Amino acid sequence: MEYEKYEDRVRIEKQGVESRENQYSPYCDFIYYNSSRHPELQLAMRVLKPGKPSRLVVTTHGWHMSIPPFEVMDTPCVDELIVEVDMRGRAFSEGSPDCNGWELFDVIDAVTYVQQQYESFIEDSSLVYFEGGSGGGGNAYAIIAKFPDFFAAATAMCGITDYAVWYENDAIGEFQDELDVWIGHPPRDNPMAYASRSGLALASNLLTPLFICHGDTDIRVPVDHARMYKEHLERLNLSDRLDYWELEGVGTREHWGHATQQQMVDIHSRSEQHRARHATPIVIPERGRFMIGGYLFTKRFSIVLDSLDHMAVVDYDLIQQQFIVTSVQGDECGYKLELYG
């Protein structure tokens, strides 16, 4: 993948409604699809097709970005089937961004569409992989916690693990203005809303093997985000699910500033190798506990809280079909439970 799209400096100008129609070429398509959670919203993705059936990898763009526009491709430019999702409210998609709220479900909807319409390009449709950097890295940490058995492996590069910390340490206010709107308030007014969207607060849900890559001098998303996550997994005895790599001296106001060409090649290679090592679908335990940040979806059941800003814990027993949902704050917590299969 091209890592330039993970830089979050420029957002493509918002596209008009009249331009929303699918475009196709031999190895690149631009597809519009509807949200299953909010069917009135039309969303967009770009699909890059490999020369032969391969892994299905879904990715999201940087914080201030959207996916690249359609491009006619007569030859394959990737070795895997790459699904680039335009988050809601960005250049090509309707709706409003909500910082790891329902925008993450848009990723799941995109994958469902691709599994149905691009079956001939997928080696094993039971295996789905996620990769993201910068804002997309923040998506990676959260999506594997809110959908703990959906992805066979994931890669988080220079990603945000705690949005409250990111907000408070934003010295020039580059991200605060959007966080105020996308979440609805600063963290001091509603810390639970920030925690419910942060991979760090949901890290105990980790079942997906995760590769973390972060430059140790990154200014815009400091390496402390990766270190906090790693240290939290160590306390939870979950380090065996983590492949961690800090790049010494890498990072400026661009995430990969000072990185050598060989280091960029190695990042790409290690991410692909991580996927290759993990070719088994995730299966949740028959009994266990999950944190819920707004919602939780597994292949066996889902729980949606009455607000994306709320957090709860579910102790479940699939054999007895028992579910005990407890609010993190100790107050009343409304929710909807669905069982599958």
Side-chain angles (χ1 to χ4, degrees):
M1 297 186 189
E2 293 181 16
Y3 293 110
E4 173 61 26
K5 70 170 177 283
Y6 297 142
E7 300 299 341
D8 46 8
R9 293 169 294 176
V10 180
R11 181 180 297 159
I12 301 171
E13 184 179 350
K14 188 72 176 177
Q15 303 298 297
V17 175
E18 66 277 1
S19 65
R20 292 196 181 107
E21 57 182 42
N22 292 351
Q23 297 175 278
Y24 301 92
S25 72
Y27 293 101
C28 175
D29 297 343
F30 201 95
I31 302 296
Y32 288 95
Y33 64 104
N34 288 94
S35 162
S36 65
R37 301 298 307 186
H38 304 98
E40 72 280 6
L41 297 184
Q42 193 173 48
L43 310 167
M45 62 177 142
R46 195 172 79 148
V47 181
L48 303 179
K49 295 171 278 188
K52 62 180 181 179
S54 186
R55 288 185 291 266
L56 167 54
V57 183
V58 61
T59 184
T60 51
H61 45 75
W63 184 261
H64 288 130
M65 293 188 72
S66 293
I67 59 174
F70 172 69
E71 179 181 351
V72 174
M73 294 185 185
D74 295 320
T75 57
C77 68
V78 292
D79 296 324
E80 300 166 310
L81 179 63
I82 306 297
V83 181
E84 300 174 336
V85 177
D86 197 52
M87 309 296 277
R88 58 175 59 196
R90 305 324 201 272
F92 303 99
S93 293
E94 296 177 331
S96 300
D98 58 13
C99 186
N100 284 345
W102 287 120
E103 66 182 13
L104 294 183
F105 210 99
D106 300 340
V107 175
I108 308 303
D109 285 339
V111 170
T112 300
Y113 181 100
V114 169
Q115 287 172 324
Q116 296 170 350
Q117 301 297 325
Y118 290 84
E119 185 178 5
S120 63
F121 291 94
I122 303 172
E123 194 172 51
D124 185 344
S125 61
S126 71
L127 301 175
V128 182
Y129 299 89
F130 189 91
E131 178 176 306
S134 187
N139 297 150
Y141 286 115
I143 202 168
I144 59 176
K146 298 192 178 197
F147 301 88
D149 59 355
F150 192 86
F151 299 98
T155 297
M157 295 177 289
C158 47
I160 306 103
T161 63
D162 187 321
Y163 286 95
V165 169
W166 199 43
Y167 186 103
E168 299 299 347
N169 293 337
D170 181 12
I172 63 174
E174 181 184 4
F175 311 109
Q176 291 178 352
D177 54 349
E178 286 157 331
L179 285 164
D180 284 341
V181 174
W182 293 359
I183 296 181
H185 21 244
R188 63 180 176 274
D189 292 344
N190 193 339
M192 193 64 67
Y194 280 73
S196 72
R197 292 164 165 82
S198 298
L200 183 64
L202 305 172
S204 59
N205 291 359
L206 184 66
L207 297 174
T208 302
L210 177 62
F211 171 48
I212 293 177
C213 179
H214 213 123
D216 72 353
T217 55
D218 191 333
I219 294 173
R220 303 178 81 213
V221 182
V223 72
D224 286 348
H225 285 270
R227 291 173 179 171
M228 287 189 298
Y229 192 89
K230 176 177 179 288
E231 291 166 2
H232 191 41
L233 288 189
E234 289 171 351
R235 290 192 294 271
L236 295 170
N237 295 316
L238 296 177
S239 297
D240 59 325
R241 299 169 191 174
L242 181 64
D243 181 4
Y244 185 87
W245 184 29
E246 272 189 31
L247 284 78
E248 185 177 356
V250 170
T252 56
R253 290 209 61 80
E254 294 187 5
H255 301 300
W256 304 122
H258 301 316
T260 66
Q261 184 176 0
Q262 185 58 51
Q263 284 175 316
M264 299 307 297
V265 169
D266 290 344
I267 293 169
H268 178 86
S269 176
R270 287 184 63 160
S271 185
E272 284 193 335
Q273 291 170 14
H274 177 71
R275 289 191 281 274
R277 287 195 301 271
H278 300 288
T280 304
I282 302 299
V283 178
I284 67 170
E286 293 289 327
R287 299 181 180 88
R289 166 180 285 197
F290 285 121
M291 296 292 299
I292 308 171
Y295 57 81
L296 173 81
F297 281 82
T298 77
K299 295 171 186 174
R300 303 290 299 278
F301 69 94
S302 67
I303 296 175
V304 178
L305 303 183
D306 54 12
S307 170
L308 291 176
D309 295 349
H310 289 175
M311 291 189 68
V313 177
V314 57
D315 292 287
Y316 69 91
D317 184 328
L318 293 172
I319 298 173
Q320 300 295 325
Q321 292 195 353
Q322 294 179 343
F323 300 83
I324 300 173
V325 179
T326 307
S327 170
V328 168
Q329 292 178 298
D331 55 2
E332 290 293 325
C333 181
Y335 64 91
K336 180 181 180 181
L337 167 69
E338 290 192 57
L339 302 180
Y340 307 126

